Amino acid sequence: MALQNNLSAQGTGKRKFSVVIQSESIQKLINNTLGDTKKSQKFVTAISSAVAVNPQLQECDGFSIVNAALLGETLQLSPSPQLGHYYMVPFNDKNKGKVATFELGYKGYLQLAIRSGQYKKINVLEIKKGELINFDPLNEELEINLIQDELEREKAETIGYYAMFELVNGFKKALYWSKEKMLSHADKYSAAFNAKSYNDLMTGKILDKDKWKYSSFWYKDFDGMAFKTMLRQLISKWGIMSIELQAAFEGDYTFKDASGNSTYVEETNEPLINPDIEVTQVHEEVTPQAAFDTKESAQNIQLL
């Protein structure tokens, strides 16, 4: 509410980030939200650096950039692409023009779930060709024969995705989607993605000079987006959602304007594209406490 009131006071017209971030009301808002001067200064430096190196963000409405970054900061998530917690993604809204949206990464979901203290175990991974022995959707039991050679496994074709959690109270839930189902989901719900185009891209049918057009994360990091989808489906339907998880879930794929109005962008807008700008998700371990060893988790899947 404070963010809405302060931004509304600035007027509803589009203003550049460099102007917005220096305004007295926004500076006051950041200080009040973060509650620490040093933390606020660090936040302003970090967000300013992110905008400075991304010409697409520079073209976005300044209020939407501040909103996206503040949501990530209040959730205590890092904007670093290397950590993959969340991203400020430029979108071209049909009504509002160029805006920055808050998009949560799958590692952000993992961090928030673990931080809630409700999850004893949580994991998500891809299933490779030749590993799947049987999947029983009724009892949610997945039996696999894991490829032991890690390099060989990385090169193997992905045929599906698996996600599971066990709460501290003993409740367990697991989910498996084939890659075909994931492709259908992305094709249906993301206006920036087309399953046929993805297949053409993966099979080398897209010319190098045209590859920049496929800027959606679904093209650039399909597995990362699939992991996020699995966790989003699993946690939102059967998991315990802390206040932070609820805020992240509701803020995902959205932007706020100067009046505080939220807009969900995934189904109705196209991401801005630029052959010189590339935003990627880098797959790293979340933390020793936040993720489980892939081999151990995969080997124990059939016991769930």
Side-chain angles (χ1 to χ4, degrees), residues 15-30:
R15 294 182 63 178
K16 292 184 177 181
F17 171 78
S18 58
V19 176
V20 172
I21 198 66
Q22 294 178 20
S23 66
E24 183 178 348
S25 61
I26 295 302
Q27 289 286 333
K28 183 178 180 181
L29 168 65
I30 293 172

Side-chain angles (χ1 to χ4, degrees), residues 218-248:
W218 280 108
Y219 290 116
K220 290 183 172 295
D221 185 14
F222 189 91
D223 284 350
M225 290 299 290
F227 288 173
K228 172 182 174 177
T229 299
M230 296 295 286
L231 290 171
R232 187 178 171 92
Q233 293 282 329
L234 190 67
I235 294 174
S236 65
K237 293 181 179 179
W238 295 289
I240 294 178
M241 296 186 72
S242 62
I243 295 176
E244 289 78 14
L245 264 173
Q246 292 179 45

Side-chain angles (χ1 to χ4, degrees), residues 183 187 193-201 203 205-206 219:
L183 282 165
D187 196 49
F193 180 83
N194 179 273
K196 183 180 183 304
S197 296
Y198 175 78
N199 182 66
D200 290 344
L201 187 66
T203 55
K205 296 180 181 179
I206 303 297
Y219 290 116

Side-chain angles (χ1 to χ4, degrees), residues 7 60 64 66 69 88-90 134 147 151 158 192 223 254 293 303:
L7 293 181
C60 291
S64 67
V66 172
M88 294 182 290
V89 180
N134 181 61
I147 297 174
L151 294 179
T158 295
D223 284 350
T254 67
D293 180 76
L303 302 178

Side-chain angles (χ1 to χ4, degrees), residues 123-127 132 135-142 160-166 172-178 181-182 185 226-238 301 304:
N123 195 21
V124 60
L125 74 159
E126 69 273 47
I127 303 301
L132 180 63
F135 172 60
D136 179 1
L138 182 61
N139 295 304
E140 297 175 344
E141 294 178 347
L142 182 70
Y161 300 92
Y162 173 81
M164 61 76 66
F165 69 69
E166 179 181 351
K172 300 178 182 179
K173 200 69 180 179
L175 190 66
Y176 173 78
W177 281 16
S178 67
K181 182 174 181 178
M182 188 63 69
H185 174 88
F227 288 173
K228 172 182 174 177
T229 299
M230 296 295 286
L231 290 171
R232 187 178 171 92
Q233 293 282 329
L234 190 67
I235 294 174
S236 65
K237 293 181 179 179
W238 295 289
I301 287 174
L304 298 178

